[in-house]
Amino acid sequence: MRALEAGRALLPGKRDYSQLSRSWKADLVAGVTVGIVALPLALAFGVSSGAGASSGLITAIVAGVIAAVFGGSNIQVSGPTGAMVVVLGPVIAAHGPGALATVSVLAGLIVLFAGLLKLGRVVTFLPWPVIEGFTVGIAVIIFFQQIPSAIGSESEAGGNAAISAANALGGASLDSAVAPAAIVALVVLIMVTGPRIHPRIPASLIAIVVASLSVSWLDLPVATIGELPRSLPSPLLPSLDWVTLTALAGPAVTIAALAAIESLLSARVAASISDTGPYDADRELLGQGLASVASGIFGGMPATGAIARTAVNIRSGGKTRFAAVTHALVLLAVVYLATGPVSRIPLAALAGVLMVTATRMVSPAALRAVIGSTRADSAVFFVTALITVSFDLIEAVEIGIAVAAFFALRAMVRSSGVHREEIPGPIHEGDEHIALFRLDGALFFGTAERVLERVSAIQNVDVVIIRMSQLQTLDATGARVITDIVNALERRGITVLIKGVQDRHLRLVTRVGVLESLRHHKHLFTELAPAAEHARSHVARAASARAARTHGPGHGSNPSAAAGLTDE
């Protein structure tokens, strides 16, 4: 029954549109606004990926509708994004445009199954410096990718963006670079000044229109998008033979991981800045997976949630999924009614749009915050950003997480430890033969050896009390070390008492053998006072035993006192 209810929660329902009767006008306006903003971005991302402008437009339409209906966010807008372009470009360069549909379907299926397996909350384990470094790295790559188009040079398909940009600059001629560079400057100028005049001005669309008219009127020698389809292509299942699957399995996993991470991060940010309700992470994966599968079948590319377009949707008053559906319908109208004008858009104009977009991806406030936080977080940020630009996006996330985990473990080790302290209350005779150790923080594989060395090295005591009430984290290695400490001290004739095992740790210490290692079951205490009293009784018996060994039986010693050392 629970499984059935969980399955229903992943499907669309009336609850998704409960506010539509009150918000449909705002949703309609927001959808049209987002569609206008998304048009140049969809075209630009399609061109930048190597799949073509039409592929970007198809992705925004098909994936935009599917993700809006089946996704887990009420306000998320999906389509082609810069991060996906960065990953997809080398795949198309290596395997050809024919691989686009196959890798889109494969990646979509992986994301879909991740949703069905309830893996949506995994993204919450991503550290903030990793996310910021990843975002900055993507922004840098997108900016570098536009430099060849901005100066009228051919880009190196699939190569490192920074190297390709440097080669393009080195091989460019002044005559061929002037016109496209002027178009880029014009687009940047309009996109920067437009929002200052009015925040709701669709500056990118105006910039594209002005640039296209300028090229036409002045007959400038710049490359344009070229012919676009005048309708959506017929759906076609891609080739899924064994050879193709083997060749594209690795890229598909990478693309799926990126799609899941970016979509969930975008949905989480959208939920935090809007009042449209929480998002369902697992359903979001399901919807994004279906969107990429459908996009690939229609000739598009893998899709993800797009935080920039989602933010525009929120600022424009969007409340329900109808806004995202409307955005896709606006783009569909462009395909059927305006492919002629769109085909004459200069590539340099799209490059200018993406250059500004890449710059806006980097938040100065977030940048200052992460760099000014701690040295460890700054290191994680810079490592992630550098690897993103230099090598691979997914490797950057993996290494960033590993570096963050290293610093987190180091901080945990530093905040944890073992401390010897005095027994509370009045001092009794023989207390110098009792060692009270308090375990703080975490006792795990990173701190266990240090604790073992410190406690086991104790000398000139008869009893050791180990306080575990302040221990916050305990793993199997830490529990095993306590067992080793008890065994080592008991072999030396030192009685070990354990105080304050928390209920959440009791099962672990029992299974690992901590309690079995104690000399007697009465050596486990919940309070310190009874443990100290018991320890003093052991010290007294130990003193009597030493006296008996020193003076011999003839001096009134009681041999049974020595034997009593092992009673409890």
Side-chain angles (χ1 to χ4, degrees):
M1 192 66 178
R2 289 183 179 179
L4 183 60
E5 292 178 357
R8 288 176 179 173
L10 296 177
L11 297 176
K14 292 181 180 180
R15 64 188 182 281
D16 296 335
Y17 305 94
S18 58
Q19 299 185 44
L20 185 58
S21 60
R22 300 187 299 273
S23 67
W24 68 271
K25 290 182 180 179
D27 287 334
L28 189 62
V29 172
V32 172
T33 303
V34 177
I36 292 172
V37 172
L39 176 60
L41 292 176
L43 297 171
F45 286 139
V47 171
S48 185
S49 69
S54 60
S55 180
L57 198 54
I58 290 168
T59 306
I61 296 169
V62 177
V65 171
I66 299 297
V69 173
F70 290 93
S73 171
N74 292 322
I75 204 69
Q76 173 116 287
V77 179
S78 301
T81 61
M84 187 57 67
V85 165
V86 172
V87 174
L88 199 59
V91 177
I92 294 176
H95 300 279
L100 179 62
T102 303
V103 79
S104 297
V105 171
L106 288 178
L109 290 174
I110 294 172
V111 176
L112 188 155
F113 282 118
L116 294 175
L117 294 174
K118 305 290 186 181
L119 300 179
R121 293 299 174 186
V122 172
V123 74
T124 59
F125 297 120
L126 287 178
W128 175 54
V130 173
I131 296 171
E132 291 298 330
F134 182 70
T135 303
V136 169
I138 289 173
V140 171
I141 292 174
I142 292 173
F143 190 92
F144 283 153
Q145 283 179 336
Q146 309 317 310
I147 290 178
S149 295
I151 59 176
S153 298
E154 290 289 333
S155 60
E156 299 175 9
N160 180 273
I163 296 175
S164 298
N167 292 339
L169 289 171
S173 64
L174 184 61
D175 293 339
S176 62
V178 171
I183 294 299
V184 170
L186 177 63
V187 169
V188 171
L189 178 64
I190 294 173
M191 289 188 67
V192 170
T193 58
R196 296 180 180 177
I197 298 173
H198 195 284
R200 293 196 176 185
I201 287 179
S204 60
L205 184 65
I206 293 175
I208 291 291
V209 171
V210 172
S212 301
L213 293 175
S214 300
V215 169
S216 178
W217 289 340
L218 300 175
D219 195 23
L220 297 177
V222 296
T224 60
I225 288 177
E227 187 175 357
L228 291 171
R230 297 181 181 273
S231 63
L232 284 182
S234 300
L236 181 65
L237 286 174
S239 173
L240 296 177
D241 59 90
W242 179 251
V243 175
T244 303
L245 290 175
T246 303
L248 296 177
V253 171
T254 299
I255 290 171
L258 177 62
I261 291 171
E262 188 173 17
S263 296
L264 292 176
L265 288 177
S266 177
R268 187 172 71 176
V269 171
S272 67
I273 63 176
S274 69
D275 58 354
T276 57
Y279 73 101
D280 186 321
D282 298 318
R283 183 179 168 186
E284 182 63 24
L285 290 182
L286 177 69
Q288 294 295 341
L290 289 173
S292 290
V293 170
S295 177
I297 291 175
F298 278 92
M301 63 180 71
T304 75
I307 186 58
R309 275 154 277 176
T310 301
V312 171
N313 191 21
I314 295 171
R315 288 198 301 267
S316 301
K319 297 292 184 183
T320 73
R321 299 159 190 266
F322 181 60
V325 173
T326 301
H327 128 274
L329 295 178
V330 169
L331 297 177
L332 183 63
V334 170
V335 169
Y336 282 94
L337 302 175
T339 52
V342 170
S343 66
R344 294 190 288 273
I345 294 175
L347 294 179
L350 298 180
V353 170
L354 288 186
M355 283 181 166
V356 176
T357 301
T359 304
R360 289 174 175 170
M361 288 175 65
V362 181
S363 168
L367 207 59
R368 289 192 298 269
V370 70
I371 294 176
S373 53
T374 65
R375 285 185 294 178
D377 289 327
S378 297
V380 172
F381 167 79
F382 283 113
V383 166
T384 305
L386 182 62
I387 295 175
T388 300
V389 175
S390 305
F391 299 102
D392 179 80
L393 273 72
I394 300 302
E395 287 182 5
V397 172
E398 293 172 348
I399 294 175
I401 293 174
V403 174
F406 167 77
F407 283 119
L409 286 176
R410 191 179 70 165
M412 188 179 293
V413 169
R414 288 180 173 179
S415 64
S416 305
V418 55
H419 306 278
R420 185 172 180 179
E421 55 187 12
E422 299 294 330
I423 300 175
I427 299 176
H428 290 65
E429 182 181 355
D431 279 1
E432 68 273 12
H433 296 294
I434 302 173
L436 174 60
F437 288 101
R438 185 186 77 248
L439 302 182
D440 286 335
L443 182 56
F444 67 114
F445 62 89
T447 59
E449 191 65 26
R450 186 177 61 177
V451 172
L452 176 63
E453 293 175 356
R454 172 75 189 281
V455 179
S456 300
I458 192 69
Q459 299 290 333
N460 302 319
V461 297
D462 295 321
V463 182
V464 167
I465 304 175
I466 300 177
R467 292 184 62 185
M468 297 179 60
S469 54
Q470 302 300 313
L471 198 60
Q472 301 301 316
T473 303
L474 180 68
D475 70 354
T477 304
R480 186 61 195 175
V481 159
I482 296 177
T483 304
D484 292 341
I485 290 172
V486 174
N487 289 331
L489 293 176
E490 292 285 357
R491 283 195 299 268
R492 291 166 49 192
I494 299 174
T495 301
V496 180
L497 311 180
I498 293 180
K499 177 263 171 186
V501 177
Q502 300 182 40
D503 291 339
R504 55 181 170 152
H505 299 152
L506 187 58
R507 183 178 181 184
L508 176 61
V509 299
T510 302
R511 289 191 170 187
V512 174
V514 175
L515 303 186
E516 290 182 2
S517 65
L518 294 175
R519 187 186 305 176
H520 196 281
H521 67 86
K522 291 184 178 181
H523 290 179
L524 180 66
F525 296 86
T526 57
E527 300 294 335
L528 181 58
E533 182 180 348
H534 196 92
R536 285 165 178 153
S537 69
H538 272 273
V539 170
R541 291 197 297 273
S544 298
R546 283 192 291 270
R549 289 194 296 270
T550 301
H551 301 291
H555 288 77
S557 66
N558 184 3
S560 63
L565 287 175
T566 60
D567 287 348
E568 299 181 11

